[in-house]
Every structure is written in C-alpha cells, then in structure tokens.
Amino acid sequence: MTPQGAGDREAAPQSAKGTMPVGEGVEGTPELFTPDRFKGQNVLITGAAQGIGQAVANRIAHENGSVFLVDRSELVHQVAADLAEVTSGTVGSATADLETWEGAEAMVAAAVEKLGSVDVAINNVGGTIWAKPYEHYTPEEIEKEVRRSLFTTLWSVRAELPALIDNGGGTIVNVSSVATRGVNRVPYAASKGGVNALVSALALEAAPKNVRVVATAPGGTLAPERKVQRGPGPEGEQEKEWYQQIVDQTVDSSLFKRYGTLDEQAAPIVFLASKEASYITGSVLPVAGGDQG
C-alpha cells in the first residue's frame, strides 16, 4: 500500500484576518474515556495520523480496543507505536491510497491479517482541498475533490463490508461534514452529501446482515497545524478572502459561535462505534454546535 489520501475534517484554516486559534494535540490520556469499552473489539481507523482520526484512535486505545491505523503518511506508524503502550489490545498500522479500490482492499486485508477480524470500521479520510466559488474550480480540481472526499469512503466501505459480514456483523462509522450547506466548497459538499446518502442506503441493505452504518457530520474543528497538507494554501488576497468566508460562515452557523475541539468530535464517533449505540443505524449526527448542515 502506498501513501495518499487521508485527512481530518475542517481544521481551523489560515485566513485573510490571520490564523484561527489552534487546538492542542491528542497525545496523552483523553480527559474523558470509558475504561474497557472496546476491550475485545477490533477497530480499523482511517486518516489516523493526525486530527480527528488520531483523536479517535487515542480514545479507543485508552478504552483497550485493538486498533489498526491507516493513513497516507508514514507518521501513522509512530502514532501506532505510541498507542501500543496504552492499550491491552493489539495495534497495527499501514499506509494506503484510499482513493483507489486496490488501496482499500489491501488495507482491509492487512487489518484482518494483523487483528484476526474487524468489528468496527471508522472512515475518516477526506477534507476540502480548495476554497473558492464553484465557477472558479477547474474540472481537474472537481475530480480531485470528489476522489478525496467521496471515493475514499466508497472504496473503504466496499472493502470493509465483506469482512464485517464474515465476522457475523459489525459497525461502519463514516465521518461526513455539515459543509453540505457551506460556501466556497461545492465539490466537497457534494462529496459529503454522497457520504450521507451512502449511510442511509447501505443501512437498509446491511441491517439484515447485522451491520450498522452511521456517520457524524463535524463542523469546524480546532486542530494542531497539519503535518501533511491537503493541498495548496490560499494564495493572493482573493483566495484569502474566499477562505475567510468559510471561516466566518462556520463560526456564524454555530450556536456557540466557535469551532469545536478534537475531543468534541472524537467522543460522538467513538460512541456510535461502540455497543452502546447498538440500536442506531442509518443516522448522520451533526456535531457542529447546533449547525445542522
């Protein structure tokens, strides 16, 4: 598997008015966690080298789950090594190009080989690459946005589903976005709308096979500066202005008038992934301070 195509949701961006406040990292023991909630569970997590994916992996490891971490960046191996010291379960990692079927298929095979089976799959790869009005996107940029934020989930879920069914059932948690109603990122919004449709449609098919399919839809999220960038940052005053419009809308749409934290995003993902949510399927939970997307 080769590195390509991971990321977290709406990290606080650079803007024309400066940089949004940067959140703290996820190293160390989470402030809140439920001991042994994932003991005996094998959890596959994509986009796990940084941001929300890393926060989720950290939480599940501290809850004694076995985790298999996947990212486009080699940094994922260090994250896995650190988590191996805090969980009683097994820890593995791999790099993968989840924008391709071959990468997703190889990822699941590696996870099953390492963990023995997969009980839960958390698909966290995606994220806006560019920020501008739709008429300014090139056809190539539109295709890249869709590959990054829709096909990574489509391929991952297609590869994960047989492994879950063969294991007698399990849970898929996709990470979508409230940006389905957002400015200056139409291709990304359309991609996340596709993720939402995937959740509702697949839940109908998968329930008789004892597989739950759910998602969260994060809003703007404070995170440390990205170690692996999604794409080029805004260049020139016009691009900075377009990016600032995203920042302003994100804050204005939150009833709390702020960005969320990594812990605030990780907690509902981990809940939906757990057995505590056993009667929830086909749902997309907005986690955006009241913004419903």
Side-chain angles (χ1 to χ4, degrees):
M1 290 180 282
T2 57
Q4 178 75 16
D8 62 329
R9 307 287 73 72
E10 309 305 312
Q14 297 279 21
S15 73
K17 297 179 182 177
T19 305
M20 291 290 293
V22 175
E24 296 180 356
V26 296
E27 294 82 3
T29 303
E31 183 178 355
L32 298 172
F33 68 97
T34 303
D36 293 337
R37 178 163 53 169
F38 282 88
K39 189 172 184 179
Q41 295 280 293
N42 299 327
V43 184
L44 168 63
I45 306 164
T46 73
Q50 58 187 334
I52 291 174
Q54 185 183 359
V56 168
N58 190 43
R59 179 82 173 256
I60 292 175
H62 277 87
E63 297 187 3
N64 284 320
S66 292
V67 293
F68 192 82
L69 313 183
V70 181
D71 202 283
R72 63 174 172 170
S73 170
E74 298 286 343
L75 295 170
V76 73
H77 302 307
Q78 183 58 55
V79 174
D82 293 341
L83 294 185
E85 299 181 6
V86 304
T87 179
S88 63
T90 301
V91 178
S93 60
T95 57
D97 179 358
L98 298 181
E99 294 179 15
T100 69
W101 162 246
E102 292 78 12
E105 187 178 37
M107 167 187 73
V108 174
V112 171
E113 180 179 2
K114 180 67 177 181
L115 302 181
S117 63
V118 175
D119 300 297
V120 178
I122 300 173
N123 299 307
N124 175 63
V125 173
T128 305
I129 305 173
W130 290 279
K132 52 189 171 182
Y134 191 45
E135 66 268 24
H136 292 281
Y137 278 85
T138 68
E140 294 76 17
E141 288 170 345
I142 293 169
E143 290 185 4
K144 287 181 179 179
E145 292 274 11
V146 174
R147 285 200 299 270
R148 176 69 55 83
S149 290
L150 177 57
F151 270 92
T152 50
T153 302
L154 284 174
W155 292 137
S156 293
V157 170
R158 173 60 183 84
E160 294 154 359
L161 192 57
L164 294 172
I165 294 171
D166 290 346
N167 195 38
T171 301
I172 294 171
V173 183
N174 295 324
V175 181
S176 183
S177 175
V178 294
T180 50
R181 185 176 182 273
V183 299
N184 296 348
R185 43 192 167 167
V186 166
Y188 174 69
S191 298
K192 290 305 185 181
V195 171
N196 294 347
L198 167 64
V199 168
S200 59
L202 184 58
L204 292 171
E205 292 185 15
K209 300 160 188 172
N210 199 32
V211 175
R212 296 190 301 115
V213 186
V214 292
T216 67
T221 304
L222 295 175
E225 184 176 354
R226 291 182 59 84
K227 299 171 183 175
V228 179
Q229 299 301 317
R230 292 195 188 110
E235 298 179 359
E237 291 306 311
Q238 180 62 82
E239 290 191 6
K240 290 179 180 179
E241 181 181 341
W242 288 334
Y243 226 111
Q244 184 63 41
Q245 289 170 358
I246 290 180
V247 175
D248 292 344
Q249 187 203 18
T250 298
V251 174
D252 289 345
S253 297
S254 167
L255 302 187
F256 296 119
K257 305 305 178 188
R258 66 172 176 86
Y259 273 48
T261 68
L262 288 175
D263 285 342
E264 287 172 327
Q265 296 299 341
I269 293 170
V270 171
F271 165 70
L272 287 175
S274 75
K275 293 180 178 180
E276 295 175 77
S278 59
Y279 199 52
I280 301 174
T281 195
S283 298
V284 179
L285 174 63
V287 186
D291 181 5
Q292 301 299 303

